[in-house]
Amino acid sequence: MAGNNVFSTFKWLSRSSRGLLSGAEATTQRCLSRSMATESPAASSEYLSREALQAKWAPKPVLATTYSFPTMEPVQFVEYPRDHLQMPLRKDILHRAVVYEGDMTRQGSASTKWRGDVHGSNRKLFAQKGTGRARAGDKKSPIRRGGGVAFGPHPRDFSSSLPQKIYDQAWRIALSYRYRRGQLIIIDNEIGVPEDATPHLIKEIFKVNRWGREFGRSTLITDKVHEQLFETVGEVNAHAKILDREDVDVKDLLETGRLIVEKTALDRILYHHSRDLRSQPAKATY
């Protein structure tokens, strides 16, 4: 009798557990069907594609004002990505870039003759002992006139290495630093002066706009070489210096009080020094 009771109890538990499992499965299927119906693009108007989500959560661009030279009247607003003109200040990267540029400009052409490079005989001048004089070797010794130089400089390469993406970041960090401080003045047209302009007129332009020596001088950056403009500004180099875009370095962006740059020159600088932003991640091959 006890065995029959145990067997009947086991059968009842198995049936009840199957019923509970089937009920849970049905509830799960109903929830899944409801969620799929609500999340499907056709059933919901709030569905956003990946491109729409990226556009929604993308950071807002940076607005910069362009001016007309030499009247300095505002012309329009231009937009730049935040990773172009809103980079955080990194003094370590700027220092590495300035040192890298300085090492690249060092000539390393200093040259001297060591005792092995001097032309002459290797004969010992006099006996080692018995003369009462100090011992001496050949006449090419560094302690004798006309001899070689002890550990003198030889031609060498002073250039150091810096990853290209770090150097590109230094350019954008320097421009972002100028932009945040209000020292980046973008000229919508070309930086030009009338043909009859005199250095006195250039001085007045810098005085009115507070760009002169009293306010830290200025650096003018052009996209094309204008010989007359370069000659005129060169006569007032106490107040400003002018550079072609191809001759600009990171140090030039930080040296004077402000930057006065043509928009085309700025766009090309940002384009050439944003290669690390255009690189695509490596794709897995398996």
Side-chain angles (χ1 to χ4, degrees), residues 239-284:
H239 298 277
K241 68 174 183 178
I242 185 169
L243 297 172
D244 184 26
R245 175 182 56 83
E246 297 180 353
D247 299 332
V248 179
D249 292 331
V250 175
K251 183 180 178 181
D252 297 323
L253 303 179
L254 304 170
E255 192 172 16
T256 57
R258 69 200 47 79
L259 299 177
I260 305 171
V261 56
E262 296 178 357
K263 184 179 181 300
T264 54
L266 178 62
D267 293 343
R268 292 187 179 182
I269 288 174
L270 292 173
Y271 176 78
H272 288 299
H273 295 285
S274 299
R275 284 168 288 190
D276 57 320
L277 301 177
R278 296 193 296 267
S279 60
Q280 298 294 332
K283 296 182 180 179

Side-chain angles (χ1 to χ4, degrees), residues 29-41 43:
Q29 291 180 359
R30 286 196 299 269
C31 293
L32 289 175
S33 61
R34 290 176 183 175
S35 61
M36 292 177 63
T38 55
E39 293 179 0
S40 61

Side-chain angles (χ1 to χ4, degrees), residues 89 192 226:
L89 180 60
H226 307 280

